[in-house]
Amino acid sequence: MKFSDIPSHESAKQRLRDMIDNNRIPHALLLEGPAGIGKFALARAAAQYIHCENRIDGDSCGKCAACLQHQSFNHIDTHFVFPVVKRKNSSGAVVSDDYIGEWRDFLRDNPYMDFQQWLVSLDSPNAQPAIYVSESEQLVHKLSFTAHRARYKVVLLWLPERLNVDASNKLLKQIEEPFGDTLFIMVSNNAKAILPTIYSRTQRIELKRLPDDVIADSLITRYSIDETDAMALAHNAEGNMITAIHSISLSKESHRFLELFMELMRQSYQRHVKELKAWATDVASVANRSCVSWTIANGLYARISFTISTFRDSTI
């Protein structure tokens, strides 16, 4: 991820460049602001710029070994920390590395860090993921080793507000007494929920909502949407790219559910119980693929379950 890949936030980019170029990087940096504006993308770009072996015109080159490793999320001196859930039928400790495959896929598909989609990636759409004390313990162990290929080890921590109490206290000591070659770049959607003692020890960059024209341009480029429609979606999204993208998805899903509903009516009228059960399975599959459609799909699933039950009772 390069700075040039990220729309808007020019003053924040320049501030990060100045810190890095002048070797005045704080050991704990916090990017805070509303969701859906590209904060984590900016954190990734900063980490790549720090490690880049051939910076060009205030940006990483995108071609050196370090940049290529960053682009595949495999840089040896970059550590990711993010909220996770305990796996089913597992009573042991859980850490980010347990979900590193899902995390890499999520980063590729969600540059604006759609939290609901992260829940889908965790196969836990109704869960409340957290960062546990086991994560902090493992991180302290990792950071005790010197950097392998770069001057600095960089920890990219997504949503520090989801650190549980024990994890926060463990991490606080690391932030208060950091290793000289370690940098923390944290990204928060709700900075007020971060442990105050951690928050007070960070240097903060506050990011604002995205301008409507930036969101509209992205929608036009990525989804070939009419300019007027794109501006309307951007205005309604109130600076949140995730909301704008969801609006497009919701429109497509609404059409899909209309088709499903019509199929339900046809099969119900013909009293095809076997086909109705297959239909219900199809709806459940759609719901599992999209958190946006979860409520609608569950409603239809409840309707078909009731219909099947009614047919069964009427044939007894």
Side-chain angles (χ1 to χ4, degrees), residues 285-300:
S285 175
V286 172
N288 283 328
R289 292 196 301 269
S290 173
C291 279
V292 176
S293 60
W294 186 260
T295 301
I296 303 173
N298 271 342
L300 290 175

Side-chain angles (χ1 to χ4, degrees), residues 98-147:
D98 295 335
Y99 288 94
I100 196 64
E102 293 89 339
W103 174 251
R104 287 168 178 156
D105 291 340
F106 173 69
L107 289 181
R108 290 188 188 97
D109 298 336
N110 293 273
Y112 286 92
M113 308 301 285
D114 184 344
F115 185 72
Q116 294 302 316
Q117 287 301 318
W118 176 234
L119 296 182
V120 173
S121 299
L122 294 174
D123 195 24
S124 301
N126 297 313
Q128 292 296 322
I131 301 172
Y132 299 97
V133 66
S134 52
E135 184 77 59
S136 295
E137 292 170 346
Q138 184 189 74
L139 185 62
V140 169
H141 175 71
K142 286 181 179 180
L143 298 180
S144 65
F145 298 97
T146 58

Side-chain angles (χ1 to χ4, degrees), residues 26-43:
H27 69 274
L29 180 65
L30 175 66
L31 306 183
E32 58 177 314
I37 62 173
K39 298 186 302 299
F40 198 77
L42 194 58

Side-chain angles (χ1 to χ4, degrees), residues 178-202:
F179 295 107
D181 63 350
T182 299
L183 306 173
F184 285 87
I185 303 179
M186 307 180 196
V187 175
S188 173
N189 294 341
N190 182 16
K192 292 181 179 179
I194 300 173
L195 185 73
T197 47
I198 288 181
Y199 185 77
S200 65
R201 286 164 175 77
T202 63

Side-chain angles (χ1 to χ4, degrees), residues 149-309:
R149 296 182 181 176
R151 178 176 179 180
Y152 292 109
K153 304 185 293 278
V154 178
V155 179
L156 295 178
L157 197 163
W158 186 46
L159 305 183
E161 58 266 34
R162 288 188 171 267
L163 286 156
N164 70 15
V165 175
D166 291 337
S168 293
N169 290 330
K170 189 83 173 179
L171 185 63
L172 175 61
K173 184 176 180 180
Q174 185 64 36
I175 292 175
E176 288 178 327
E177 303 173 7
F179 295 107
D181 63 350
T182 299
L183 306 173
F184 285 87
I185 303 179
M186 307 180 196
V187 175
S188 173
N189 294 341
N190 182 16
K192 292 181 179 179
I194 300 173
L195 185 73
T197 47
I198 288 181
Y199 185 77
S200 65
R201 286 164 175 77
T202 63
Q203 185 166 327
R204 298 174 288 279
I205 298 178
E206 184 176 358
L207 302 178
K208 304 298 183 181
R209 55 161 285 175
L210 292 172
D212 288 354
D213 62 323
V214 169
I215 294 180
D217 287 345
S218 179
L219 296 180
I220 293 169
T221 301
R222 294 178 60 186
Y223 301 100
S224 301
I225 294 176
D226 176 82
E227 182 177 354
T228 302
D229 293 340
M231 282 301 298
L233 288 170
H235 180 72
N236 291 334
E238 298 182 342
N240 187 324
M241 186 71 76
I242 295 172
T243 300
I245 294 172
H246 278 186
S247 297
I248 298 172
S249 300
L250 185 59
S251 177
K252 293 179 179 178
E253 286 164 1
S254 295
H255 180 71
R256 171 62 175 146
F257 283 120
L258 176 59
E259 294 176 342
L260 286 170
F261 182 76
M262 293 173 66
E263 178 67 16
L264 167 64
M265 293 298 99
R266 284 193 295 268
Q267 298 297 347
S268 299
Y269 180 75
Q270 299 176 51
R271 303 173 69 84
H272 291 165
V273 176
K274 181 178 179 181
E275 287 76 6
L276 287 168
K277 289 181 178 179
W279 182 95
T281 301
D282 187 21
V283 171
S285 175
V286 172
N288 283 328
R289 292 196 301 269
S290 173
C291 279
V292 176
S293 60
W294 186 260
T295 301
I296 303 173
N298 271 342
L300 290 175
Y301 190 90
R303 181 191 293 266
I304 188 56
S305 297
F306 175 77
T307 303
I308 292 173
S309 176

